[in-house]
Amino acid sequence: MKNRIVDANFPRTLDQRVYHLGLRAGEVANRIITLGAPSRAHGIASYLDPTPTPFTLTSERGFTTITGRYKGVPVSIISIGMGYPNADFFVREVRECLNGDMVVVRLGSCGGLIDVPVGSVVVPKASIAVTRNYDFDFVTGKSDEPPYKSSKPVLADPIVHDALVDSLTRTRPANITTPIVDHTLNASADSFYSSQGRQTSFPDHNADLIDRLMSEHKDLATFEMETFHILHLAACWRPEAHEAAKDAPPLSRDATAPSIYPAHPPSTQSDIPDVATSAIGHQPLRPPPRIRAAAAQMVFASRTSQDFIAPQEVASIEAWTGRAVLEALVGLAIEPDRLHEETGSVWEIKGDELDKAIPR
C-alpha cells in the first residue's frame, strides 16, 4: 500500500463529505475568501461570473460555501461565523477537500485600537492570540497567574498581504476617504467580551487588559476573533505521509444534511484528495503544497473614540473590500499542477457553457 497524504480517519459521510462544512472534493476552490456573515458572502458572490452558475451549499452546522469563477478563475467564498472553533473547522476541513496549494484571505470586521476613523481597512502583518487564563481565580482575583495570556505573533503570508494592500488601494472608490492601514499587528481573542477588555457583570478582571497589550505591542491595531487561528494553522501545516486504509469506515449516517441550491448540482468527484500530489498525474508536489493566508479587517467600531460605523457606510465598505479581495486572489499565481482537478468540480465549464464563459 503506498503512502498518501490522506487522513483515512478524518470524519466524512457516506458520500465523502466533511462533517461540519458539508463539502466534498470539487466543491471548494484553491483560492478562498472566508468571512463571518452569510449575507456578506452572498453580497461578494454577486460579483462572480454568471458561467458556470455559482454553486451554493449551506451545511447543517451553518457554514455557507459559494464556489464559482471570478474573471474566469475558480474561487470560493465561505462564511464561517465567529471565533477560533469555527475557524478551525474551516481550515482543517477545506484542507482535506483540496489538492495542492490553498490561499485564504479572512475578510471581517474588527475593533480599532489605534486612532483611525471607523470605516478604515487594516491589513495586519501578523497576529497574536489573547486568551482567558482558566487557571486564574476569577472569583477572588487572588492568583499567581495572570487573568489573560497573549501569544507570540504569527506572520501573514507577505505576498498575499502585499497583494491585498495593492488591490485595496487600486480599487478604492473616490467617495471612500478612510485610510488603508498596513504593517500593523492584530490581536485575535477567544471572547468578544472578556478577552477584548469589554466590561460585563462577570468578574473578568480585564479593566487594564487593553492598556497592557498596547504597552507590550506598540504596533497593535485591531481586535477580532479569527485571524490568529487561521494564520497559525497556515503556518504550521506540513503534509506528512500516512498509511491510508483502503476501506476507511465512513460515518454511519449523513451527519451534515447539507442544503444545496438547485441552480447548480454538486460535485461528481468522489475520491478523497491526496493533498500533497498534483490533481492530474498524482505526482508528489515539489516543493510540498502549502497554505498561504492573510487578512483584511474593516474597522466597524473604535475602542478609542467609541464611534460605531453607520449602516450605509457598512454596505459601501463591504462592496469595495469584497471586490478588492477577489481581485487580489485571482491575481495571485498558482501553478496549474498545484490546483485542484476541474473535471467533475462545480467550477468546471462544460461544452454548452464555453461560449458564455469569461476567459482567464
Side-chain angles (χ1 to χ4, degrees), residues 115-155:
D115 189 19
V116 294
V118 294
S120 301
V121 178
V122 180
V123 185
K125 65 180 179 182
S127 181
I128 60 172
V130 179
T131 54
R132 185 179 179 95
N133 181 4
Y134 296 100
D135 291 329
F136 179 82
D137 189 339
F138 282 93
V139 176
T140 67
K142 298 175 181 179
S143 179
D144 294 331
E145 299 274 347
Y148 299 91
K149 294 182 177 181
S150 58
S151 71
K152 296 178 181 178
V154 61
L155 295 175

Side-chain angles (χ1 to χ4, degrees), residues 10 28 30 39-40 42 55 67 90 100 120 129 140 143 162 164 173 189 199 204 234 260-261 264 276 303 312:
F10 200 90
V28 59
N30 297 80
S39 60
R40 190 177 299 156
H42 285 285
F55 167 83
T67 297
F90 158 69
S120 301
T140 67
S143 179
D162 291 351
L164 286 171
Q199 307 298 303
D204 287 322
I260 298 174
Y261 286 50
H264 196 301
R303 301 298 297 275
Q312 61 269 25

Side-chain angles (χ1 to χ4, degrees), residues 187-209:
S188 292
D190 62 352
S191 168
F192 180 80
Y193 296 102
S194 65
S195 303
Q196 293 191 46
R198 290 186 171 92
Q199 307 298 303
T200 70
S201 61
F202 285 83
D204 287 322
H205 300 276
N206 61 356
D208 65 344
L209 176 59

